[in-house]
PDB file of all heavy atoms in Angstrom:
ATOM      1  N   LYS R 231       7.397  -7.260   7.498  1.00 92.00           N
ATOM      2  CA  LYS R 231       8.148  -8.406   8.037  1.00 92.00           C
ATOM      3  C   LYS R 231       8.555  -9.276   6.843  1.00 92.00           C
ATOM      4  O   LYS R 231       7.669  -9.651   6.052  1.00 92.00           O
ATOM      5  CB  LYS R 231       7.317  -9.142   9.032  1.00 92.00           C
ATOM      6  CG  LYS R 231       6.920  -8.360  10.238  1.00 92.00           C
ATOM      7  CD  LYS R 231       5.997  -9.192  11.176  1.00 92.00           C
ATOM      8  CE  LYS R 231       6.852 -10.170  11.966  1.00 92.00           C
ATOM      9  NZ  LYS R 231       7.718  -9.585  12.991  1.00 92.00           N
ATOM     10  N   VAL R 232       9.836  -9.582   6.760  1.00 91.00           N
ATOM     11  CA  VAL R 232      10.356 -10.453   5.685  1.00 91.00           C
ATOM     12  C   VAL R 232      10.714 -11.787   6.378  1.00 91.00           C
ATOM     13  O   VAL R 232      11.599 -11.833   7.260  1.00 91.00           O
ATOM     14  CB  VAL R 232      11.576  -9.878   4.989  1.00 91.00           C
ATOM     15  CG1 VAL R 232      11.970 -10.781   3.843  1.00 91.00           C
ATOM     16  CG2 VAL R 232      11.277  -8.462   4.468  1.00 91.00           C
ATOM     17  N   HIS R 233      10.011 -12.861   6.012  1.00 89.00           N
ATOM     18  CA  HIS R 233      10.209 -14.170   6.678  1.00 89.00           C
ATOM     19  C   HIS R 233      11.069 -15.106   5.815  1.00 89.00           C
ATOM     20  O   HIS R 233      11.158 -14.934   4.600  1.00 89.00           O
ATOM     21  CB  HIS R 233       8.812 -14.847   6.868  1.00 89.00           C
ATOM     22  CG  HIS R 233       7.903 -14.053   7.733  1.00 89.00           C
ATOM     23  ND1 HIS R 233       7.980 -14.037   9.108  1.00 89.00           N
ATOM     24  CD2 HIS R 233       6.846 -13.241   7.387  1.00 89.00           C
ATOM     25  CE1 HIS R 233       7.001 -13.284   9.627  1.00 89.00           C
ATOM     26  NE2 HIS R 233       6.305 -12.781   8.616  1.00 89.00           N
ATOM     27  N   ASN R 234      11.678 -16.061   6.488  1.00 88.00           N
ATOM     28  CA  ASN R 234      12.461 -17.136   5.812  1.00 88.00           C
ATOM     29  C   ASN R 234      13.573 -16.619   4.969  1.00 88.00           C
ATOM     30  O   ASN R 234      13.730 -16.887   3.825  1.00 88.00           O
ATOM     31  CB  ASN R 234      11.545 -18.031   4.979  1.00 88.00           C
ATOM     32  CG  ASN R 234      10.437 -18.718   5.790  1.00 88.00           C
ATOM     33  OD1 ASN R 234      10.397 -18.594   7.020  1.00 88.00           O
ATOM     34  ND2 ASN R 234       9.585 -19.423   5.125  1.00 88.00           N
ATOM     35  N   LEU R 235      14.426 -15.764   5.576  1.00 84.00           N
ATOM     36  CA  LEU R 235      15.586 -15.224   4.858  1.00 84.00           C
ATOM     37  C   LEU R 235      16.576 -16.330   4.508  1.00 84.00           C
ATOM     38  O   LEU R 235      17.246 -16.206   3.465  1.00 84.00           O
ATOM     39  CB  LEU R 235      16.248 -14.167   5.715  1.00 84.00           C
ATOM     40  CG  LEU R 235      15.506 -12.858   5.925  1.00 84.00           C
ATOM     41  CD1 LEU R 235      16.230 -12.004   6.917  1.00 84.00           C
ATOM     42  CD2 LEU R 235      15.302 -12.125   4.619  1.00 84.00           C
ATOM     43  N   ILE R 236      16.786 -17.304   5.389  1.00 82.00           N
ATOM     44  CA  ILE R 236      17.797 -18.304   5.190  1.00 82.00           C
ATOM     45  C   ILE R 236      17.166 -19.679   4.897  1.00 82.00           C
ATOM     46  O   ILE R 236      17.481 -20.367   3.952  1.00 82.00           O
ATOM     47  CB  ILE R 236      18.744 -18.398   6.409  1.00 82.00           C
ATOM     48  CG1 ILE R 236      19.363 -17.041   6.678  1.00 82.00           C
ATOM     49  CG2 ILE R 236      19.823 -19.455   6.200  1.00 82.00           C
ATOM     50  CD1 ILE R 236      20.113 -16.977   7.988  1.00 82.00           C
ATOM     51  N   PHE R 237      16.253 -20.117   5.744  1.00 82.00           N
ATOM     52  CA  PHE R 237      15.529 -21.357   5.602  1.00 82.00           C
ATOM     53  C   PHE R 237      14.198 -21.083   5.056  1.00 82.00           C
ATOM     54  O   PHE R 237      13.404 -20.216   5.529  1.00 82.00           O
ATOM     55  CB  PHE R 237      15.427 -22.040   6.971  1.00 82.00           C
ATOM     56  CG  PHE R 237      16.677 -22.533   7.542  1.00 82.00           C
ATOM     57  CD1 PHE R 237      17.467 -21.767   8.375  1.00 82.00           C
ATOM     58  CD2 PHE R 237      17.201 -23.794   7.208  1.00 82.00           C
ATOM     59  CE1 PHE R 237      18.624 -22.215   8.895  1.00 82.00           C
ATOM     60  CE2 PHE R 237      18.390 -24.259   7.705  1.00 82.00           C
ATOM     61  CZ  PHE R 237      19.134 -23.433   8.588  1.00 82.00           C
ATOM     62  N   GLY R 238      13.795 -21.828   3.999  1.00 84.00           N
ATOM     63  CA  GLY R 238      12.409 -21.726   3.484  1.00 84.00           C
ATOM     64  C   GLY R 238      12.307 -20.689   2.384  1.00 84.00           C
ATOM     65  O   GLY R 238      13.242 -19.965   2.087  1.00 84.00           O
ATOM     66  N   ARG R 239      11.124 -20.628   1.829  1.00 86.00           N
ATOM     67  CA  ARG R 239      10.826 -19.669   0.788  1.00 86.00           C
ATOM     68  C   ARG R 239      10.517 -18.306   1.385  1.00 86.00           C
ATOM     69  O   ARG R 239       9.644 -18.159   2.218  1.00 86.00           O
ATOM     70  CB  ARG R 239       9.619 -20.161  -0.051  1.00 86.00           C
ATOM     71  CG  ARG R 239       9.823 -21.456  -0.808  1.00 86.00           C
ATOM     72  CD  ARG R 239       8.492 -22.053  -1.250  1.00 86.00           C
ATOM     73  NE  ARG R 239       7.696 -22.443  -0.107  1.00 86.00           N
ATOM     74  CZ  ARG R 239       6.460 -22.947  -0.274  1.00 86.00           C
ATOM     75  NH1 ARG R 239       5.915 -23.121  -1.454  1.00 86.00           N
ATOM     76  NH2 ARG R 239       5.761 -23.318   0.836  1.00 86.00           N
ATOM     77  N   THR R 240      11.275 -17.302   0.961  1.00 88.00           N
ATOM     78  CA  THR R 240      11.141 -15.949   1.485  1.00 88.00           C
ATOM     79  C   THR R 240       9.795 -15.404   1.096  1.00 88.00           C
ATOM     80  O   THR R 240       9.334 -15.518  -0.047  1.00 88.00           O
ATOM     81  CB  THR R 240      12.295 -15.063   0.961  1.00 88.00           C
ATOM     82  OG1 THR R 240      13.534 -15.633   1.266  1.00 88.00           O
ATOM     83  CG2 THR R 240      12.209 -13.688   1.641  1.00 88.00           C
ATOM     84  N   TRP R 241       9.122 -14.720   2.118  1.00 91.00           N
ATOM     85  CA  TRP R 241       7.856 -14.065   1.857  1.00 91.00           C
ATOM     86  C   TRP R 241       7.703 -12.882   2.721  1.00 91.00           C
ATOM     87  O   TRP R 241       8.368 -12.727   3.702  1.00 91.00           O
ATOM     88  CB  TRP R 241       6.686 -15.090   1.961  1.00 91.00           C
ATOM     89  CG  TRP R 241       6.476 -15.639   3.337  1.00 91.00           C
ATOM     90  CD1 TRP R 241       7.173 -16.633   3.924  1.00 91.00           C
ATOM     91  CD2 TRP R 241       5.488 -15.232   4.310  1.00 91.00           C
ATOM     92  NE1 TRP R 241       6.750 -16.938   5.167  1.00 91.00           N
ATOM     93  CE2 TRP R 241       5.700 -16.068   5.448  1.00 91.00           C
ATOM     94  CE3 TRP R 241       4.485 -14.282   4.364  1.00 91.00           C
ATOM     95  CZ2 TRP R 241       4.900 -15.928   6.607  1.00 91.00           C
ATOM     96  CZ3 TRP R 241       3.712 -14.137   5.470  1.00 91.00           C
ATOM     97  CH2 TRP R 241       3.921 -14.992   6.612  1.00 91.00           C
ATOM     98  N   VAL R 242       6.753 -12.017   2.324  1.00 91.00           N
ATOM     99  CA  VAL R 242       6.662 -10.687   2.968  1.00 91.00           C
ATOM    100  C   VAL R 242       5.234 -10.509   3.479  1.00 91.00           C
ATOM    101  O   VAL R 242       4.277 -10.875   2.817  1.00 91.00           O
ATOM    102  CB  VAL R 242       7.010  -9.559   1.949  1.00 91.00           C
ATOM    103  CG1 VAL R 242       6.829  -8.189   2.599  1.00 91.00           C
ATOM    104  CG2 VAL R 242       8.447  -9.756   1.480  1.00 91.00           C
ATOM    105  N   ASP R 243       5.152  -9.890   4.656  1.00 93.00           N
ATOM    106  CA  ASP R 243       3.853  -9.572   5.240  1.00 93.00           C
ATOM    107  C   ASP R 243       3.966  -8.107   5.813  1.00 93.00           C
ATOM    108  O   ASP R 243       5.052  -7.666   6.149  1.00 93.00           O
ATOM    109  CB  ASP R 243       3.495 -10.529   6.337  1.00 93.00           C
ATOM    110  CG  ASP R 243       1.998 -10.612   6.645  1.00 93.00           C
ATOM    111  OD1 ASP R 243       1.188 -10.085   5.807  1.00 93.00           O
ATOM    112  OD2 ASP R 243       1.608 -11.151   7.667  1.00 93.00           O
ATOM    113  N   SER R 244       2.852  -7.431   5.900  1.00 93.00           N
ATOM    114  CA  SER R 244       2.866  -6.057   6.457  1.00 93.00           C
ATOM    115  C   SER R 244       1.747  -5.887   7.450  1.00 93.00           C
ATOM    116  O   SER R 244       0.726  -5.140   7.201  1.00 93.00           O
ATOM    117  CB  SER R 244       2.749  -5.005   5.326  1.00 93.00           C
ATOM    118  OG  SER R 244       3.882  -5.011   4.490  1.00 93.00           O
ATOM    119  N   PRO R 245       1.796  -6.555   8.539  1.00 94.00           N
ATOM    120  CA  PRO R 245       0.657  -6.529   9.538  1.00 94.00           C
ATOM    121  C   PRO R 245       0.651  -5.206  10.313  1.00 94.00           C
ATOM    122  O   PRO R 245       1.681  -4.640  10.707  1.00 94.00           O
ATOM    123  CB  PRO R 245       0.973  -7.705  10.468  1.00 94.00           C
ATOM    124  CG  PRO R 245       2.495  -7.815  10.488  1.00 94.00           C
ATOM    125  CD  PRO R 245       2.872  -7.428   9.051  1.00 94.00           C
ATOM    126  N   GLY R 246      -0.566  -4.709  10.567  1.00 95.00           N
ATOM    127  CA  GLY R 246      -0.684  -3.529  11.377  1.00 95.00           C
ATOM    128  C   GLY R 246      -1.503  -2.447  10.702  1.00 95.00           C
ATOM    129  O   GLY R 246      -2.199  -2.693   9.731  1.00 95.00           O
TER     130      GLY R 246
END
Side-chain angles (χ1 to χ4, degrees):
K231 300 178 74 71
V232 184
H233 299 281
N234 298 358
L235 290 175
I236 302 172
F237 292 92
R239 296 165 294 177
T240 306
W241 61 283
V242 177
D243 202 15
S244 295

